[in-house]
Amino acid sequence: MISGSMMCLLLLISCSSSKPMTETKKESGERSVFINLKITADSVSKNSHVEELDKIVTMGHFDYKHVVTEGALNYLTCILYEDQVSMDTVVVQHPLYRIYEYMMDNGQTQYKEYNQKEAKFSLRFQLKGKTARIKIIEKLVGLYPKEIASINL
């Protein structure tokens, strides 16, 4: 019969890899970036401004799928450029123009748009190139798409 501590030791040995985790991450050359942003609406000029609050860049890879916001009338298209080449695109519901869905007493679905003057949102991307930049393009109902930010990572 094997004791509890011996069982834990055997489990740790069997689960360990031949290379340390940090060595494996360094070999891949991939980095993950998580960026927190704040968008504000200027009521006088009718322009939106994006400010980087903070970002975290770590070595390694994460598995993800970007969720494209379907049916949003107002949205942001965020394009990742690495070494001057477009590598990834994320479309998100505009943080200043949120649409909420709710159920009425009679069972019908209703939508309500809630406009804000300021909002925070986050993005994440997988990086492989030497230089990276995110371009943010705003699309509002009835207006042409407009670039509102370019952020170097």
Side-chain angles (χ1 to χ4, degrees):
M1 186 165 208
I2 300 175
S3 71
S5 59
M6 184 61 102
M7 185 64 112
C8 288
L9 181 60
L10 288 172
L11 183 62
L12 285 173
I13 291 171
S14 67
C15 291
S16 66
S17 87
S18 60
K19 293 183 181 180
M21 181 68 89
T22 55
E23 199 174 310
T24 305
K25 288 180 182 178
K26 286 179 186 175
E27 287 175 6
S28 75
E30 290 186 338
R31 297 168 289 142
S32 301
V33 63
F34 302 88
I35 184 165
N36 293 310
L37 304 159
K38 179 172 80 172
I39 186 168
T40 55
D42 184 336
S43 59
V44 176
S45 69
K46 304 294 183 200
N47 291 323
S48 297
H49 303 283
V50 176
E51 172 188 349
E52 177 185 329
L53 298 176
D54 63 356
K55 68 182 168 196
I56 299 170
V57 179
T58 61
M59 295 302 293
H61 175 79
F62 63 88
D63 292 326
Y64 68 97
K65 288 185 180 182
H66 290 303
V67 177
V68 177
T69 305
E70 294 182 28
L73 301 175
N74 301 299
Y75 56 89
L76 301 177
T77 303
C78 308
I79 306 168
L80 171 69
Y81 290 90
E82 291 187 279
D83 302 328
Q84 306 298 322
V85 177
S86 173
M87 299 299 289
D88 198 359
T89 302
V90 178
V91 178
V92 297
Q93 183 178 357
H94 200 301
L96 297 177
Y97 303 91
R98 292 288 188 181
I99 297 175
Y100 297 98
E101 179 180 15
Y102 61 95
M103 188 74 69
M104 297 287 291
D105 291 336
N106 63 4
Q108 289 184 318
T109 303
Q110 292 291 322
Y111 298 95
K112 178 158 177 76
E113 186 175 70
Y114 182 71
N115 299 340
Q116 301 176 336
K117 293 182 181 181
E118 176 180 296
K120 295 178 183 177
F121 67 105
S122 300
L123 298 171
R124 66 180 182 171
F125 287 101
Q126 192 71 52
L127 304 176
K128 296 176 184 168
K130 293 179 182 174
T131 63
R133 177 174 58 96
I134 298 172
K135 183 191 318 186
I136 301 175
I137 300 169
E138 178 181 60
K139 175 61 177 102
L140 300 176
V141 173
L143 299 175
Y144 290 108
K146 175 173 54 172
E147 182 177 336
I148 59 171
S150 181
I151 300 166
N152 292 320
L153 301 176

